[in-house]
Amino acid sequence: EARLLVFSEDRDSIRIPDGDANATHTAAAVTEDADTSALILGYNDSLPVILREMPENVRRVLLAGRQGSDEERERLVTLAAQRGLAVEFSSAELTEEGALEALAKNAEHVVILNDHEKEEEEADMEAIYLLLNLRDIRARLGARYNITTEMRRERNQDLVEDSDRTDFVVASSMSSRRG
């Protein structure tokens, strides 16, 4: 069963780009029955939706970077438990390459959330920094994780396009729909 995860505040704003869907599917394919883990870097209001919509084979989620209040964290743990996800929190410093490498080496999926409390340009630059570092770590370690990055400005999305189609850059409007 193929799935496409799309987030949007407004259903009418969803646009699926034309392209070679088979190549994208092949590049992002994960064995359906294998339990996998996801690393989510950052925090914003779309996190509950992302946890609810994780692929069925994702069993563990590690949340790192800016995190919500204790109440918000407890709500996320409860939500994840309803979905059968084990959630862990990390206070690792994401600007330290060794810490980022340690977080990423056991993940099959990495999601970089844009910090909606910061100015668009600043938040996008932080996301780009993480994305480029994660790509470098993946290349050096021979890791196979895919990266989904939320960006708020289209021109910044163009800066980090990925020619091998293993990474996905999405607009913030696609990651903030609430069900």
Side-chain angles (χ1 to χ4, degrees):
E1 169 186 354
R3 290 185 180 196
L4 175 63
L5 180 61
V6 178
F7 303 98
S8 177
E9 284 184 76
D10 177 9
R11 290 177 187 248
D12 296 332
S13 70
I14 297 174
R15 300 286 182 261
I16 309 298
D18 292 333
D20 186 352
N22 189 32
T24 301
H25 173 61
T26 301
V30 175
T31 306
E32 286 296 320
D33 55 355
D35 286 350
T36 63
S37 63
L39 169 62
I40 300 177
L41 304 174
Y43 177 90
N44 63 37
D45 291 340
S46 64
L47 185 53
V49 173
I50 291 169
L51 288 175
R52 264 195 310 271
E53 300 299 328
M54 278 283 164
E56 290 297 319
N57 63 332
V58 173
R59 297 287 179 226
R60 294 177 329 255
V61 175
L62 177 59
L63 301 173
R66 188 178 83 78
Q67 299 174 6
S69 67
D70 288 343
E71 180 180 296
E72 291 169 318
R73 288 170 60 148
E74 186 59 38
R75 187 175 49 111
L76 292 172
V77 169
T78 301
L79 173 69
Q82 292 170 349
R83 243 290 270 114
L85 293 171
V87 174
E88 297 176 37
F89 295 89
S90 171
S91 59
E93 181 55 54
L94 301 181
T95 58
E96 294 178 14
E97 187 175 336
L100 192 57
E101 184 176 312
L103 291 170
K105 71 180 179 183
N106 295 317
E108 286 84 13
H109 310 283
V110 178
V111 178
I112 301 171
L113 294 179
N114 198 282
D115 189 341
H116 295 177
E117 293 184 4
K118 294 185 176 179
E119 292 295 320
E120 288 180 352
E121 197 67 31
E122 180 183 2
D124 278 2
M125 290 304 111
E126 287 179 5
I128 289 170
Y129 172 83
L130 288 171
L131 174 61
L132 296 177
N133 277 319
L134 286 164
R135 284 179 177 170
D136 179 63
I137 290 167
R138 181 176 57 195
R140 283 188 291 108
L141 297 180
R144 299 181 50 93
Y145 54 80
N146 60 48
I147 307 168
T148 301
T149 306
E150 177 189 9
M151 305 279 285
R152 290 165 57 192
R153 299 191 122 181
E154 188 173 337
R155 70 174 187 211
N156 292 333
Q157 294 172 31
D158 294 340
L159 292 173
V160 293
E161 279 189 9
D162 183 32
S163 62
D164 69 4
R165 295 184 171 212
T166 57
D167 298 338
F168 307 94
V169 179
V170 298
S172 287
S173 62
M174 291 179 66
S175 65
S176 28
R177 183 178 197 286
R178 294 181 181 198

